[in-house]
Amino acid sequence: MPLPFLTADRAFDATDDVALPHDDRDLWRRPYRPGPWRVGVAALMLLLASFVLFAAVIIAATDSLSAAGVVFGIALVVIVCALRLLRMGAWVSAHGVRHVSFLSTRTVAWQQVTSVRTVQQPVRWLGLPRTVQGQALLLVRQGGRSGETFPPLLTTHNADFLAREEAFDRAADAVEAWADEYRRG
């Protein structure tokens, strides 16, 4: 029994590069793939959660259900944190741009955006307090409060783009293109 999806020499269909019948620009989408650091940490967290869930089953079988419930709750918190970690980043749609951080989400409509530009500046390394010289994609709002600072949408040293500068350039160009298209419209 041949398994064509596992072979490198399979013939590709001519319909592989056909556009989808509709491209819903109103859906929120990330214009880049999550980076290996973010995916790796989330995978380790989910692995830890699986061990904690296994411990909850053992505790439920040998000890009280209340103790198993507490351990099960800890596993759920770890799973939610891993999923939130994977959700972090910049998201765009026809409505605006959304910056999702671990504890908060900020959305700015395209009508409020003055510019989206890439600048050279000190950026945080993997979100830690240590800063290194890198590039950041900044969003400038019109009529924004002077004391309010919007964090960089993307940086070359965050968990998505560390050691992947060409991926950062492609993602920054994509967000800038969305901004140019929807600020005018």
Side-chain angles (χ1 to χ4, degrees):
M1 177 173 93
L3 300 173
F5 59 89
L6 294 178
T7 61
D9 59 346
R10 71 179 173 105
F12 292 101
D13 295 334
T15 61
D16 281 348
D17 58 350
V18 175
L20 295 174
H22 69 283
D23 187 18
D24 193 2
R25 311 272 279 170
D26 290 333
L27 294 177
W28 290 99
R29 64 184 72 209
R30 187 186 333 221
Y32 56 92
R33 291 184 181 151
W37 286 92
R38 185 175 310 281
V39 173
V41 169
L44 288 175
M45 290 175 71
L46 291 173
L47 182 66
L48 173 70
S50 70
F51 288 126
V52 174
L53 284 172
F54 186 64
V57 169
I58 292 173
I59 290 172
T62 60
D63 200 20
S64 68
L65 289 179
S66 62
V70 170
V71 175
F72 182 74
I74 292 170
L76 284 180
V77 168
V78 172
I79 291 170
V80 167
C81 289
L83 294 178
R84 185 64 182 185
L85 183 69
L86 288 173
R87 183 104 173 118
M88 290 172 56
W91 296 75
V92 292
S93 78
H95 303 292
V97 62
R98 180 174 285 173
H99 183 258
V100 179
S101 63
F102 192 72
L103 296 176
S104 66
T105 300
R106 294 182 183 181
T107 303
V108 178
W110 289 122
Q111 293 79 17
Q112 297 176 346
V113 175
T114 302
S115 68
V116 177
R117 65 180 191 272
T118 304
V119 296
Q120 188 84 16
Q121 71 176 29
V123 295
R124 299 172 101 192
W125 184 76
L126 289 176
L128 299 172
R130 177 180 176 217
T131 60
V132 294
Q133 192 65 26
Q135 292 182 356
L137 183 69
L138 296 179
L139 176 100
V140 179
R141 295 174 57 179
Q142 55 179 288
R145 297 180 213 119
S146 60
E148 182 184 20
T149 59
F150 201 80
L153 293 175
L154 311 170
T155 66
T156 53
H157 289 80
N158 69 2
D160 290 321
F161 301 110
L162 188 63
R164 297 176 53 217
E165 292 205 20
E166 63 279 346
F168 172 80
D169 292 336
R170 282 192 311 269
D173 289 343
V175 174
E176 289 172 359
W178 276 75
D180 288 340
E181 180 179 348
Y182 286 106
R183 275 185 300 157
R184 288 186 234 135

